[in-house]
């Protein structure tokens, strides 16, 4: 039985290996902001979608980092005690965050898939995936209405 | 206790979820049949509504005021817990009711706007969107909220993009919603992450207890960061001004039935989530008294009432006009929510219901115009009252409701909102509400005058009234709003209980 699941406590989260832990948290913000920059600054729709992917990847790193326990191993590493009962081989990382992020990865992949499907359709409808060119087409076609 | 009663909270998510998947399976076996796909979706949505009504009765009858369901019999906080109190039950009723009415409506509208071989897929995505929205509302687990939020969002993007047959701008609107919506949902995910780090739990009720047990709760910077991320993420999702930029395009270019469904449910569920996070998890004391988030929300709400309503006046596309008006109405809901007294919150929760009925009915009426005319430019409404009197009658009553005319539902919610403002001593907000209503008078009157007091052009001489399924569902929503404008005891009673429960059970 998984102890961390049975006893939700702050303890396992606070034992984050100090140096490696903080390093990861800085990195997650950097990754997120690179992705965010891509979404805002790039005119190419595929580059925007990739930025969105990077943005989510930063969050995955954040969740995985918070599950780390100092000296912890994989939660599937078992051994038996004197009475031949199963017990964990040592301290193990909190598996809850890994499970959560597995779900979030699926969500992120589906979002990117929908985004790509939309971009393919936009390419078919407008003949371009450059935002400024689409804007020019729409301004000519529906003057004064804005792009969407 | 029967099987259905025992599993009620989860059944009302599973039924539309499986119903949606089966729609595609059936479609791939028997081939594309329009009426079969629609009939199946209609049956599923009405069964869901029946389950939700049963859920509502169970919650009202429950002595402690809420019903708890443990998924897979794993008790919370370890397992996923569904916890339904008066607030959820009321929002569930809004989502399922609108879902049932718009599915009835969808028959002709979808047949007109979606290619014939896509109907099974369309109704699959449609039912999945309803399942996602119901799931967000019913769950008591924060990560579950995120997952179901993404289910409802991904399906919304697909539904909006299906408007491409009529106008290719639907694709751009959908992509913009996808980008902003994903950023909003990611912010919510980061906020949940920080809360998980602090408390080690994902269960809402448990999270609240662990948060208030923190010795430095009020000064803890991690709590503050979590709050900020959640507030911004939720504001995107409920289209609170100035984070509403995805909404007008999405509602304008989506297929008519989709506009009506999303306009009356998606942002409402966003407001519901804000209630849950701010009151049930952080608690009233932290969200309102400790942080200045309260005044920021009030400022955004006041601007949301004024600016989008002004923008609505100069719109030439009626769907776009209604979309901007929706952003304005979200302002009223957030205002009542941020006032944090019982009258204000009652106004906010009642307005969830009332606005869903009124705006849903109006979007359905405009959809009928699009069905007959193919357009919904303001000029197309010239003399339309003589050509489509029933559709336009419903549209006009809905418009009066938006203004807050006495004897309509809009009046009831604004009454409580103004009462809340006065109780909180915030007189400027009373003025804001009144100005917002005056702006609504301007854009509603602009349309009503054109509809009823001008002669129809010769070119529309062969225009006929909308088909019966469209009229029935439009009038069902509009009559609901009128009924609860006159006999407000049910809606106001539910909202008052929900507001009192939120204020009393948490700190």
């Amino acid at each position: 039985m998984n102890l961390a699941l049975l006893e939700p406590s702050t303890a396992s989260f606070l034992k984050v290996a100090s140096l490696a832990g903080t390093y990861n948290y800085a990195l997650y913000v950097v990754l997120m902001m690179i992705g965010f920059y891509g979404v805002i600054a790039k005119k190419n729709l595929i580059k925007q979608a990739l930025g969105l992917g990077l943005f989510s990847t930063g969050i995955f790193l954040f969740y995985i980092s918070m599950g780390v326990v100092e000296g912890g191993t994989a939660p599937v590493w078992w051994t038996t005690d004197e009475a031949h009962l199963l017990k964990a081989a040592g301290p193990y990382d909190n598996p809850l965050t890994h499970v959560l992020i597995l779900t979030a990865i699926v969500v992120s992949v589906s979002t990117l898939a929908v985004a790509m499907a939309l971009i393919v359709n936009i390419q078919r409808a407008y003949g371009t995936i450059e935002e400024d060119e689409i804007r020019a087409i729409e301004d000519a076609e529906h003057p004064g209405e804005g792009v969407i | 206790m029967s099987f259905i009663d025992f599993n009620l909270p989860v059944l009302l998510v599973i039924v539309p979820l499986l119903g949606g998947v089966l729609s595609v399976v059936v479609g791939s076996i028997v081939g594309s049949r329009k009426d079969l796909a629609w009939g199946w979706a209609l049956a599923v949505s009405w069964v869901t509504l029946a389950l939700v009504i049963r859920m509502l009765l169970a919650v009202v009858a429950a002595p402690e005021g809420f019903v708890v369901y443990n998924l897979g019999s794993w008790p919370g906080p370890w397992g996923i817990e569904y916890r339904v109190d008066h607030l959820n039950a009321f929002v569930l009723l809004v989502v399922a009711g609108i879902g049932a009415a718009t599915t009835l409506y969808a028959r002709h509208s979808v047949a007109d706007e979606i290619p014939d071989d896509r109907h099974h897929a369309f109704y699959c995505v449609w039912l999945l969107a309803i399942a996602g929205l119901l799931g967000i509302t019913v769950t008591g687990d924060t990560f579950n909220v995120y997952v179901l939020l993404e289910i409802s969002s991904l399906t919304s993007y697909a539904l909006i993009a299906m408007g491409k047959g009529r106008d290719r701008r639907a694709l751009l609107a959908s992509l913009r919603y996808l980008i902003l919506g994903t950023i909003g949902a990611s912010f919510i995910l980061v906020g949940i992450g920080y809360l998980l780090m602090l408390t080690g739990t994902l269960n809402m009720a448990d999270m609240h207890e662990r948060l208030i047990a923190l010795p430095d709760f009020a000064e803890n910077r991690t709590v503050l960061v979590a709050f900020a991320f959640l507030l911004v993420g939720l504001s995107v999702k409920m289209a609170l001004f100035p984070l509403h930029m995805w909404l007008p395009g999405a509602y304008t270019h989506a297929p008519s039935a989709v506009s009506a469904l999303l306009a009356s449910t998606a942002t409402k569920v966003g407001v519901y989530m804000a209630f849950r996070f701010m009151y049930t998890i952080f608690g009233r004391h932290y969200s309102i008294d400790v942080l200045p988030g309260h005044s920021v929300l009030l400022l955004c709400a006041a601007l949301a009432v004024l600016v989008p309503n002004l923008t609505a006046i100069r719109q030439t596309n009626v769907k776009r006009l209604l979309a901007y008006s929706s952003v304005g109405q979200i302002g009223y809901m957030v205002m009542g929510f941020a006032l944090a007294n019982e009258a204000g919150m009652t106004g906010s929760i009642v307005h969830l219901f009332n606005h869903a009925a009124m705006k849903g009915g109006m979007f359905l009426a405009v959809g009928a115009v699009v069905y007959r005319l193919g357009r919904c430019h303001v000029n197309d409404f010239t003399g339309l009252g003589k050509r489509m009197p029933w559709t336009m009658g419903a549209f006009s009553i809905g418009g009066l409701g938006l203004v807050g005319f006495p004897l309509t539902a809009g009046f009831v919610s604004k009454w409580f909102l103004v009462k809340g403002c006065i109780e909180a001593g915030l007189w400027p907000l009373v003025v804001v509400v009144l100005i917002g209503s005056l702006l609504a008078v301007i854009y509603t009157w602009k349309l009503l005058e054109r509809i009823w007091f001008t002669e129809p052009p010769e070119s529309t001489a062969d225009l006929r009234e909308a088909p019966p399924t469209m009229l029935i569902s439009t009038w069902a929503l509009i009559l609901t709003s009128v009924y609860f404008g006159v006999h407000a005891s049910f809606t106001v009673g539910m909202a008052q209980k929900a507001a009192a429960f939120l204020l009393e059970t948490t700190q």
Side-chain angles (χ1 to χ4, degrees), chain A residues 5-6 8 10 25 28 39 48 55 59 63 100 107 111 118 121 125-126 137-138 141-142 145 147-148, chain B residues 78 143 150 161 164 168-169 171-174 176 179 182-183 186-187 189-190 193-194 197-198 200 210 320:
Chain A
L5 267 176
L6 279 177
T10 54
Y25 291 123
Y28 117 75
V39 173
Q48 289 184 8
F55 188 76
I59 301 174
Y63 266 74
L100 296 181
V107 168
T111 311
L118 283 172
N121 271 291
Y126 289 89
I137 294 174
E138 280 300 339
E141 203 173 309
H142 307 276
E145 279 189 41
V147 173
I148 49 171
Chain B
W78 298 285
F143 197 77
E150 284 293 14
K164 69 170 179 169
R168 60 183 178 175
R169 278 177 291 178
L171 295 167
L172 299 176
S174 175
R176 175 178 274 203
I179 287 172
T182 306
I183 289 174
S186 300
F187 272 45
L189 185 61
V190 173
Y194 280 111
M197 253 168 127
L198 270 173
R210 283 166 190 273
R320 208 175 174 83

Side-chain angles (χ1 to χ4, degrees), chain B residues 294-366:
Chain B
H294 162 238
S295 37
V296 173
L297 274 177
L298 281 179
L299 181 69
C300 284
L303 286 174
V305 170
L306 298 177
V307 181
N309 274 334
L310 261 175
T311 320
I313 294 174
R314 56 184 176 80
Q315 294 305 314
T316 50
N317 181 317
V318 177
K319 269 172 109 175
R320 208 175 174 83
L321 187 154
L322 291 184
Y324 272 107
S325 143
S326 277
V327 181
Q329 303 284 328
I330 290 292
Y332 292 121
M333 288 171 221
V334 174
M335 188 186 290
F337 154 81
L339 282 171
N341 55 27
E342 200 178 315
M345 283 165 74
T346 305
S348 176
I349 299 167
V350 165
H351 203 52
L352 275 181
F353 182 95
N354 294 344
H355 180 245
M358 296 182 303
K359 193 52 78 56
M362 288 179 82
F363 265 110
L364 291 183
V366 175

